[in-house]
């Protein structure tokens, strides 16, 4: 087991800006795997801004995380949908779209799905 670890997302190991100034992903590499903080700006939508990088029809990452601030809508490929806001825990399987609701950035922390998120596809 690793010792005590305290890191700041403000000093991330990697920052991946989203296209068109729609936000960014701050990524920390930890002994337990990557942990990310995403800042999704108003107007951000996965199918518009990340889909070209991912090269898939919908987001194929599984997410386990927590919404710090703002609101987001998630729509699964099969039609199920939900909204999440501050204080909400998220567990989202692969196969979804998502977008920011309202005029406040949505900030979310994810410890399972951001390692490869918003990286250009290798295809």
């Amino acid at each position: 087991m690793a010792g005590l670890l305290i890191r700041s997302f403000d000093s991330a190991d990697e920052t991946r800006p989203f296209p068109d100034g729609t936000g960014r992903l701050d990524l920390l590499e930890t002994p337990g795997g990557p942990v990310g903080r995403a800042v999704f700006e108003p107007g951000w939508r996965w199918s518009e801004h990340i889909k070209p990088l991912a090269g898939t029809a919908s987001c194929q990452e599984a997410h386990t995380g927590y919404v710090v601030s703002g609101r987001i809508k998630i729509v699964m490929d099969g039609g199920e949908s939900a909204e999440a806001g501050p204080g909400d825990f998220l567990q989202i399987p692969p196969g979804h779209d998502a977008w920011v609701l309202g005029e406040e950035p949505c900030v979310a922390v994810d410890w399972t799905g951001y390692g490869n998120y918003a990286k250009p596809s290798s295809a």
Side-chain angles (χ1 to χ4, degrees):
M1 183 169 140
L4 179 64
L5 176 66
I6 299 173
R7 301 277 314 275
S8 172
F9 284 109
D10 293 334
S11 299
D13 294 314
E14 181 181 357
T15 295
R16 299 178 193 155
F18 300 154
D20 304 324
T22 57
R24 71 180 188 280
L25 172 64
D26 301 316
L27 197 65
L28 298 176
E29 295 296 337
T30 76
V35 178
R37 173 185 67 182
V39 178
F40 304 106
E41 295 292 341
W44 175 89
R45 185 174 183 135
W46 186 92
S47 56
E48 293 176 21
H49 300 102
I50 307 301
K51 179 179 178 175
L53 296 173
T56 57
S58 60
C59 182
Q60 296 302 306
E61 296 293 335
H63 302 284
T64 305
Y66 176 82
V67 178
V68 177
S69 61
R71 296 198 63 76
I72 193 164
K73 177 151 186 161
I74 302 104
V75 178
M76 301 303 300
D77 289 350
E80 180 182 5
S81 68
E83 294 181 13
D88 287 340
F89 168 81
L90 302 170
Q91 195 161 38
I92 308 167
H96 58 273
D97 193 5
W99 56 90
V100 172
L101 297 171
E103 298 303 315
E104 179 184 356
C106 179
V107 178
V109 175
D110 184 316
W111 48 91
T112 60
Y114 283 166
N116 291 315
Y117 194 82
K119 276 184 146 177
S121 66
S122 57

